[in-house]
Amino acid sequence: MSGSFIVAIDGPAAAGKGTLARLIADYFGLAYLDTGALYRGVALSLIEAGLTAPTEAEAAAAALNLDPGLLQSPDLRREDVGNLASVVAAMPAVRAALDSFQRNFAARPPGGAPGAVVDGRDIGTVICPGAPVKLFLTASVAARAARRFLELQAKARPADLAQITAEIEARDARDASRATAPLKAAEDAHLMDTSNLSIDEVFARAKTIIETARQTRT
Ligand code: DC
């Protein structure tokens, strides 16, 4: 088998991409890149600099100077960080600034891994259009809001289902309607609606798809 084996996972907020990506990476020994964390890192660095309504130039500068240490911060998961991430992700100069990091990671995964699982919104369409496996996860807004709500409750954090639902709808609308790299499934992506599936079921389906693709490549 030649080259890096790439599994691209796209889909809307809270569809379960991160959980699935980690399971696949562990099982197949692949490196994992959560590209949403890059956009969240840009947003967090802007918020920390007091720039809560940045211009495109300010946001692009933050993306070019992104501190990798910030990508481990628990603050990345904050709702305000996710919302600003979705705003800066619509700016072409920010996407361009993060492009080569993502492509390099996929082509030459760290730690000598034989490939990478990369999740985001435009991985199968823009960043890794040649990936041998493309998965597009969806789930109803109600299912995604309920999962977020339970996650927050489990962490004893304040959770308001109506507010979470409204935020997911707003984020979906922004991510899908932007002009540059909007959220959309690649033509050759496997679509999976996870609304009524457990994570074990989603993983089992993904595993079959990946194993088939690996056999085809060898
Ligand atoms: O997956 P996430 O919720 O951590 O992503 C945060 C925001 O970043 C999301 O609203 C859209 C944006 N994003 C993007 O535009 N492209 C990606 N490849 C990943 C995330």
Side-chain angles (χ1 to χ4, degrees), residues 40-52 78 80-82 84-85:
R40 286 173 181 267
V42 173
L44 180 57
S45 67
L46 288 163
I47 291 170
E48 287 184 346
L51 298 168
T52 49
R78 277 174 11 207
D80 61 329
V81 173
L84 184 60

Side-chain angles (χ1 to χ4, degrees), residues 197-208:
L197 296 178
S198 69
I199 183 61
D200 290 345
E201 289 168 318
V202 176
F203 178 57
R205 290 185 191 193
K207 198 166 142 240
T208 306

Side-chain angles (χ1 to χ4, degrees), residues 6-211:
I6 298 166
V7 178
I9 306 181
D10 291 300
K17 301 185 299 288
T19 309
L20 177 63
R22 272 190 204 90
L23 287 173
I24 293 173
D26 284 352
Y27 184 85
F28 289 100
L30 304 173
Y32 170 45
L33 177 62
D34 165 9
T35 65
L38 303 175
Y39 292 93
R40 286 173 181 267
V42 173
L44 180 57
S45 67
L46 288 163
I47 291 170
E48 287 184 346
L51 298 168
T52 49
T55 63
E56 183 161 356
E58 286 166 342
L64 286 169
N65 295 308
L66 188 59
D67 167 11
L70 213 57
L71 301 180
Q72 310 304 325
S73 167
D75 286 338
L76 286 191
R77 298 290 130 207
R78 277 174 11 207
E79 224 40 56
D80 61 329
V81 173
N83 289 332
L84 184 60
S86 138
V87 172
V88 299
M91 299 174 171
V94 171
R95 305 199 74 82
L98 298 176
D99 193 275
S100 61
F101 176 84
Q102 298 174 74
R103 287 180 203 262
N104 285 338
F105 187 103
R108 284 172 291 282
V117 186
V118 186
D119 81 21
R121 303 292 191 287
D122 61 340
I123 309 307
T125 49
V126 175
I127 302 294
C128 303
V133 177
K134 297 179 187 176
L135 307 174
F136 192 87
L137 296 196
T138 58
S140 65
V141 172
R144 290 185 283 136
R147 283 180 201 157
R148 255 297 133 86
F149 178 76
L150 292 174
E151 260 169 39
L152 289 170
Q153 275 201 328
K155 290 183 198 157
R157 302 240 307 269
D160 174 338
L161 188 58
Q163 191 190 339
I164 295 170
T165 304
E167 281 174 357
I168 286 183
E169 281 172 341
R171 199 113 74 80
D172 279 2
R174 244 191 333 254
D175 292 348
S177 68
R178 67 180 178 224
T180 310
L183 169 67
K184 113 172 163 308
E187 273 175 18
D188 52 349
H190 296 267
L191 303 188
M192 283 197 239
D193 185 332
T194 70
S195 307
N196 299 308
L197 296 178
S198 69
I199 183 61
D200 290 345
E201 289 168 318
V202 176
F203 178 57
R205 290 185 191 193
K207 198 166 142 240
T208 306
I209 293 168
I210 294 167
E211 277 164 350

